């Protein structure tokens, strides 16, 4: 065989450690992100238990600060983003008709660096204290002078390592979407989820390096006595806030845009209707991404930037409401005149729309700087961003998971349990966070470990805690659903919802290793739907059946990330030999990767026929 | 398309873009450089915010910087950019030997630049401008040091590529690697131009 | 706008009923908080309108267009509608202008600088882990934890921190301003409409005792304020028992000041007997309802006995005093009342 490179194919654990298959990496992201979501959720429950009554002493103030820091950091970096990456990995290549991502090796590297970064961060619980300066890690509180244990070091190094993974993941998706679309899949025919994944990846590319620099500066300050933020030596505390939020605000859109994409897909599918105003949706997505970089200082209205900056950033922030509004109405009018089926996935999507609107309008309220002087750092803000992130993003992720589960695993999640998950989580969510708006307005600052009795805070905090427990129950029901589903036969159809519109529903569930037996020819937006409406059974192939080239599995991404993990430890405890050894491992792997070409292997047509798969 | 369908000597005009893998690599690297731009942009911003925080009794940028030395370093690095262009031109003409020679010259110039930078840093430290001296010094060493680390990485990288091409020859697998390394090297040069202007010239003027 | 007005009126009625007079942003007690509340009401009204419209459409759509059993029709595949899309782009823009104009006006209005105004009272606020220092440079007076101000007078604040970033917030009187380190001074102003005690809070995470970093603003009439300034500067008698006096001077006044004596590094103790709270958080009252309340004497005793238990991470150590000495010092301090 001319193309017959022999490649060792692994099974079992080694298969997962060495895989470069985007679908398996998607599942790895799902497992790791899900695990961190449970950890972050547990931290949230502990926070709410501490606050259920005034002057409670369920946890100590130090532990409380660790919990709130780790809850925020874990949820944003280690749960929300990886879960989105899980769906992006599992679905985006399928939606554009690609056999693989642009950089399968780098994709695996991205996962493992994220995983080891997250692991490093969470090990801090067992080594003398987790970070406790908030997920924003404001200096001087986060400098050596005021935070003497290693907690913030774990934050700095853990996020740095995880951030590398996110950054390379973003580049991978950008190149995949630009270069690897199937014939006929023009940009303006791309499914909305792919569009949002594309814009999100661009935001990652331009936002994460700022965080990298911020973390490097803080690390230098903490480990090597630099003076970036050391006020007594000329450092500047406000500089950190700027760097953090120049990253931090786009990060918010990095999180929410893919959720918008998921909602667009789900609502359109289960309304049996084309997405209303597709081109304005694309435009709104791009505009949100762009404006996302112009508004970071609205997190800093009370820092004292002066009236001109505050006025400008107020207006810029309010402007984001316009493209967001476009999206909301487009979703509503997608459903208008449709035939809406209330599957569990669609319940989450439908629940998302009004919930996200509530988070959005409080966002506009917060944009008015003088009023923000009152809202800032109060529970009003806590309510706002949980409406956006949980009510928006997490509902979106749940929706996407219920929707694409058959495509990822070949099994349908139980609809009954799915609906139960929705109702418990949804009601729990609103119970938890709706009252928090009022707690803030009534004068309760955020991030407080306890509050005095007799300030009118008691009842609402109690309600909030009950709601949080309900959300916990909802999550447990979802886990039960996963287990129940896992023992069912693997019999999901290629288009299990029967209303599938996009390319991923044209191939078997779960998608075979090579995705498409023959690369499809895309003849319009909603490619599969178009074929269905034209009376065709499936996609028209754009090529004859031939050998399919596949990348080889590799253990190097895992080892490279392990090297960084070791380096992180070495730096933290000033064992520079260990740090150097870790870096040597990482660079050594890069060297190996560079000098040994990966020729991959081919799946031959005979092999494909044996399996009896159809495209 | 397999990497082996082309034999040495029959390379297309732009071998780096002959395969999808090659095109992906080049595009991905452009995007990576976009991210690097933000990285250095943020470092510059931090430096600009802190460059006047010299502290009492510490040497100022006017006292420290020796424009002559920096000008030589700049000249060396800009020349290396030119030699890397020659290398890529040679690659496009499928002239392997000249390509390797130009790459080697680029590496040597890069080493020369690094030598000067190390000399400069040692000199500064002796003049009382250590990494921990002030906010100015920390941000200076971080910015310029990040660039220096990039140069060092580039030197090692191109060296490895020289040996790879020697062993494997120039083909559609090695060509994108060389091309991308050339892009990287140009990027480093551009960053240095900004460092020269923002750090050294502005530092000298005050 | 006309249709908005009744909604606005209803909203403000609803909101004004919310919360304690001394703590709630919805029940403003001074012109600054009132202006901010005005903007809040305007934005809440607009936003409630938006939410109502979206909810109405959503509920209608979900009921009207739900899939009935056995329904297999394919709905018309609508690409979009330019007219509608323009409408829902323009209307939000108009709403944003309605909100944006007063926002900008208020931004600049609240940025007014009263630091050279003769009629304003100048107060320098310095935040510490976990207490507030208030200095009145024009009167040569320094106090802690309780800011005494005359009502109906502009109070001009200059805020900074001695350690980490805190945020100075008196919800009922004015929104917050961060206290930054390193000579990065922030200014704000506020005014209280009537005498009363208002809760102040630290709004930026500043360490384990962030939750306990409360302070009070006590607004009094003009004459009382003048008497208070005089009283603050009058000499203070030391404890009558010479042994206690010695302990007090050696153990307490090394850090704390009382009257004209003692160190300036830590909270000023003058007039402890009148304070609303000890350590900012232990409320002083003879009629204790809640766990963190007690008489001044009880609270002082609790505080001095184990400061770390009350406010973890604060700088006050457990001072080497016998129980009798703590009793006597607490009693002495609780009797330190100012006549104003």
């Amino acid at each position: 065989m001319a193309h017959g490179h022999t490649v060792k194919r692994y099974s079992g654990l080694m298969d997962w450690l060495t895989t470069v298959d985007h679908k398996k990496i998607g599942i790895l992201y799902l497992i790791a992100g899900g695990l961190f979501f449970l950890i972050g959720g547990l931290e949230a429950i502990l926070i709410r238990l501490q606050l259920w009554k005034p002057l409670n002493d369920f946890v100590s103030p130090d532990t409380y600060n660790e919990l709130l820091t780790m809850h925020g950091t874990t949820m944003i970096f280690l749960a929300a983003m990886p879960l989105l990456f899980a769906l992006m990995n599992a679905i985006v290549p399928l939606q554009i008709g690609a056999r693989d991502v642009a950089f399968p090796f780098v994709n695996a590297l991205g996962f493992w660096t994220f995983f080891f970064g997250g692991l490093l961060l969470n090990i801090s619980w067992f080594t003398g204290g987790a970070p406790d300066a908030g997920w924003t890690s404001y200096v001087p509180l986060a400098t050596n002078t005021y935070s003497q244990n290693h907690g913030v070091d774990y934050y700095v190094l853990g996020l740095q390592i995880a951030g590398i993974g996110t950054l390379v993941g973003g580049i991978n998706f950008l190149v995949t979407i630009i270069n690897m679309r199937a014939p006929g899949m023009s940009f303006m025919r791309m499914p909305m989820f792919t569009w949002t994944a594309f814009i999100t990846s661009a935001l990652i590319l331009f936002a994460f390096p700022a965080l990298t620099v911020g973390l490097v500066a803080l690390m230098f300050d903490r480990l090597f006595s630099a003076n970036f933020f050391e006020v007594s030596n000329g450092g500047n505390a406000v500089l950190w806030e700027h760097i953090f939020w120049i990253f931090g605000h786009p990060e918010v859109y990095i999180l929410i845009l893919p959720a918008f994409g998921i909602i667009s897909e789900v609502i359109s599918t289960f309304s049996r209707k084309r997405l209303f105003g597709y081109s304005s949706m694309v435009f709104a997505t791009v505009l949100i991404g762009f404006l996302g970089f112009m508004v970071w200082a609205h997190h800093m209205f009370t820092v004292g930037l002066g009236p001109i900056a505050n006025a400008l950033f107020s207006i810029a922030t309010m402007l984001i409401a316009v493209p967001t509004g476009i999206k909301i109405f487009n979703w509503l009018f997608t459903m208008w005149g449709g035939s809406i089926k209330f599957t569990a996935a669609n319940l989450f999507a439908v629940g998302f729309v009004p919930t996200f609107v509530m988070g959005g309008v409080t966002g506009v309220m917060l944009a008015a700087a003088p009023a923000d002087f009152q809202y800032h750092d109060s529970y009003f803000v806590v309510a706002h961003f949980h409406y956006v992130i949980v009510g928006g993003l997490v509902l979106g992720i749940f929706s996407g998971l219920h929707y694409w589960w058959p495509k990822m695993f070949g099994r349908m999640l139980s609809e009954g349990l799915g609906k139960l998950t929705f109702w418990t989580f949804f009601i729990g969510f609103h119970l938890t966070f709706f009252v928090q708006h009022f707690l803030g307005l009534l004068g309760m600052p955020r991030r407080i470990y306890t509050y005095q009795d007799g300030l009118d805070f008691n009842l609402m905090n109690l309600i909030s805690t009950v709601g949080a427990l309900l959300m916990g129950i909802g999550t447990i029901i979802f886990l039960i659903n996963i287990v129940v589903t896992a023992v069912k036969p693997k019999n999901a159809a290629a288009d299990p919802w029967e209303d599938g519109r996009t390319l991923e529903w044209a191939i078997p569930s779960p998608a075979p290793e090579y995705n498409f037996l023959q690369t499809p020819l895309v003849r319009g937006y909603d490619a599969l739907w178009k074929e269905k409406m034209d009376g065709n059974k499936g996609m028209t192939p754009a090529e004859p059946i031939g050998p399919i080239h596949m990348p080889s599995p590799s253990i190097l991404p895992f080892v490279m990330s392990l090297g960084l993990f070791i380096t992180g430890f070495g730096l933290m405890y000033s064992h520079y030999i260990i740090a150097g050894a870790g870096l040597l491992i990482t660079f050594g792997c890069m060297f190996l990767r560079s000098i040994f070409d990966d020729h991959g292997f081919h799946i031959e047509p005979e092999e494909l026929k044996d399996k009896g798969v159809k495209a | 398309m397999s990497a082996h369908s082309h034999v040495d000597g029959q390379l297309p005009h732009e071998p780096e873009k002959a395969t999808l893998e090659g095109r992906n690599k080049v595009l991905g690297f452009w995007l990576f450089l976009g991210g690097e731009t933000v990285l250095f942009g943020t470092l510059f911003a931090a430096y600009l915010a802190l460059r006047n925080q010299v502290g009492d009794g510490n040497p100022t940028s006017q006292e420290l910087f020796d424009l002559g030395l920096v000008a030589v370093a700049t000249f060396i690095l800009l020349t290396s950019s030119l030699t890397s262009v020659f290398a890529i031109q040679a690659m496009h003409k499928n002239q392997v030997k000249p390509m390797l020679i130009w790459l080697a010259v680029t590496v040597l110039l890069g080493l020369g630049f690094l030598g000067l930078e190390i000399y400069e840093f040692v000199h500064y430290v002796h003049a009382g401008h250590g990494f921990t001296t002030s906010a100015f010094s920390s941000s200076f060493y971080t910015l310029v040091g990040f660039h220096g680390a990039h140069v060092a990485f580039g030197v090692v990288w191109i060296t490895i590529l020289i040996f790879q091409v020697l062993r494997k020859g120039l083909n559609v697998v090695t060509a994108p690697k060389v091309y991308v390394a050339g892009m990287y090297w140009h990027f480093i040069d551009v960053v240095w131009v900004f460092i020269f202007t923002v750090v050294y010239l502005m530092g000298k003027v005050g | 706008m006309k249709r908005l007005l009744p909604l606005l009126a209803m909203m403000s009625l609803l909101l004004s009923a919310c919360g304690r007079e001394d703590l709630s942003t919805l029940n403003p007690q001074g012109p600054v908080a009132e202006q901010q509340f005005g903007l809040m009401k305007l934005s809440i009204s607009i936003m409630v309108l938006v939410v109502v419209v979206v909810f109405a459409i959503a509920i209608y759509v979900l009921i009207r267009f739900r899939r009935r059993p056995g329904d297999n029709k394919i709905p018309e595949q609508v690409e979009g509608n330019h007219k509608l899309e323009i409408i829902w782009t323009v209307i939000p823009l108009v709403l944003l202008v309605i909100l944006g104009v007063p926002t900008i006006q208020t931004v600049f209005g609240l940025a007014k600088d009263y630091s050279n105004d003769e009629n304003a009272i100048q107060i320098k606020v310095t935040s510490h882990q976990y207490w507030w220092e208030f200095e009145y440079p024009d009167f040569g007076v320094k106090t802690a934890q309780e800011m005494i101000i005359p009502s109906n007078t502009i109070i001009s604040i200059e805020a900074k921190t001695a350690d980490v970033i805190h945020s100075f917030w008196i919800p009922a009187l004015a929104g917050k301003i961060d206290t930054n380190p390193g000579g990065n001074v922030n200014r704000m102003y506020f005014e209280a409409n009537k005498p009363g005690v208002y809760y102040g809070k630290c709004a930026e995470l500043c360490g384990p005792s962030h939750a306990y970093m409360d302070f009070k603003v006590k607004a009094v009439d003009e004459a009382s304020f003048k008497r208070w300034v005089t009283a603050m500067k009058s000499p203070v008698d030391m404890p009558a028992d010479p042994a206690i006096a010695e302990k007090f001077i050696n153990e307490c006044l090394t850090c704390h000041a009382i009257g004209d004596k003692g160190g300036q590094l830590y909270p000023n103790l003058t007039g402890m007997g009148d304070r609303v709270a000890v350590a900012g958080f232990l409320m002083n009252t003879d009629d204790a309802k809640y766990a963190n309340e007690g008489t001044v004497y009880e609270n002082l005793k609790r505080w001095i006995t184990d400061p770390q238990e009350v406010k973890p991470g604060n700088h006050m150590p457990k001072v080497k005093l016998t129980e009798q000495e703590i009793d006597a010092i607490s009693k002495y301090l609780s009797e330190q009342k100012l006549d104003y």
Side-chain angles (χ1 to χ4, degrees), chain B residues 9-184:
Chain B
Q10 292 174 334
L11 277 181
H13 171 61
E14 286 185 328
E16 72 276 7
K17 291 174 187 159
T19 61
L20 179 62
E21 285 78 16
R23 287 195 295 278
N24 283 347
K25 201 168 259 181
V26 172
L27 176 64
F29 207 80
W30 272 113
L31 293 170
F32 171 73
L33 292 184
E36 286 266 88
T37 309
V38 178
L39 184 107
F40 277 102
T42 316
L43 284 170
F44 274 109
Y47 174 77
L48 286 173
L50 300 174
R51 72 190 187 106
N52 293 322
Q53 304 298 326
V54 178
D56 297 334
N58 300 321
T60 63
S61 57
Q62 284 95 331
E63 292 161 12
L64 278 172
F65 295 159
D66 174 6
L67 278 189
L69 184 80
V70 181
V72 173
T74 308
F75 178 74
I76 291 177
L77 204 60
L78 289 183
T79 311
S80 78
S81 204
L82 186 68
T83 57
S84 75
V85 171
F86 291 154
I88 301 299
Q89 279 180 345
M91 182 183 90
H92 281 161
K93 289 180 197 150
N94 200 11
Q95 298 167 335
V96 179
K97 210 170 187 187
M99 179 189 95
L100 290 176
I101 291 170
W102 284 122
L103 284 181
V105 174
T106 307
V107 166
L108 289 177
L109 289 171
L111 285 172
F113 172 87
L114 279 179
L116 281 184
E117 186 154 88
I118 291 165
Y119 169 79
E120 185 199 1
F121 281 9
V122 170
H123 174 74
Y124 290 163
V125 171
H126 282 298
H129 180 68
F131 181 66
T132 60
T133 307
S134 62
F136 161 60
S137 74
S138 297
S139 58
F140 167 83
Y141 283 113
T142 306
L143 171 60
V144 182
F146 246 77
H147 176 265
H150 273 76
V151 175
F153 184 85
V155 163
V156 175
W157 184 13
I158 297 177
T159 310
I160 293 173
L161 285 183
I162 291 174
F163 285 105
Q164 274 195 50
V165 174
L166 276 176
R167 258 190 53 214
K168 302 176 192 166
L170 186 63
N171 55 38
V172 289
V173 175
T174 47
K177 294 186 183 184
V178 175
Y179 186 80
V180 156
M183 282 166 61
Y184 176 81

Side-chain angles (χ1 to χ4, degrees), chain A residues 274 340 373 376 441 454 501, chain C residues 20 25 67 77 79 176:
Chain A
R274 183 193 153 103
I340 306 169
F373 293 163
H376 182 80
L441 296 176
R501 310 177 71 85
Chain C
R20 292 167 60 116
T25 65
R67 190 178 302 179
Q77 303 292 307
E79 276 194 35
K176 56 194 77 63

Side-chain angles (χ1 to χ4, degrees), chain A residues 3 5 101-103 167 171 174-176 178-180 205-207 209-214 216-217 220-221 224-230 233-236 239 243 246 549 587 590-591 593-597 599 602, chain B residues 2-4 20-21 23-29 31-32 34-36 38-40 42-43 45-47 49-50 53 131-140 142 146 153 157 160-161 164 167-168 171 173-174 177:
Chain A
H3 299 294
H5 299 288
V101 292
F103 307 113
L167 184 66
I171 293 177
L174 283 172
V175 178
T176 304
I178 294 175
N179 270 2
M180 302 190 60
L205 176 63
F206 293 114
L211 177 69
T212 305
V213 171
V216 163
F220 282 0
D221 271 18
F224 308 124
S225 313
N227 302 303
F228 283 95
F229 311 120
E230 206 52 64
N233 260 340
N236 187 333
L239 178 65
I243 294 178
I246 284 174
H549 179 249
F587 283 112
M590 276 173 83
F591 175 73
R593 172 72 185 167
S594 176
I595 58 165
F596 294 113
D597 295 334
H599 300 298
H602 284 82
Chain B
S2 161
H4 285 241
L20 179 62
E21 285 78 16
R23 287 195 295 278
N24 283 347
K25 201 168 259 181
V26 172
L27 176 64
F29 207 80
L31 293 170
F32 171 73
E36 286 266 88
V38 178
L39 184 107
F40 277 102
T42 316
L43 284 170
Y47 174 77
L50 300 174
Q53 304 298 326
F131 181 66
T132 60
T133 307
S134 62
F136 161 60
S137 74
S138 297
S139 58
F140 167 83
T142 306
F146 246 77
F153 184 85
W157 184 13
I160 293 173
L161 285 183
Q164 274 195 50
R167 258 190 53 214
K168 302 176 192 166
N171 55 38
V173 175
T174 47
K177 294 186 183 184

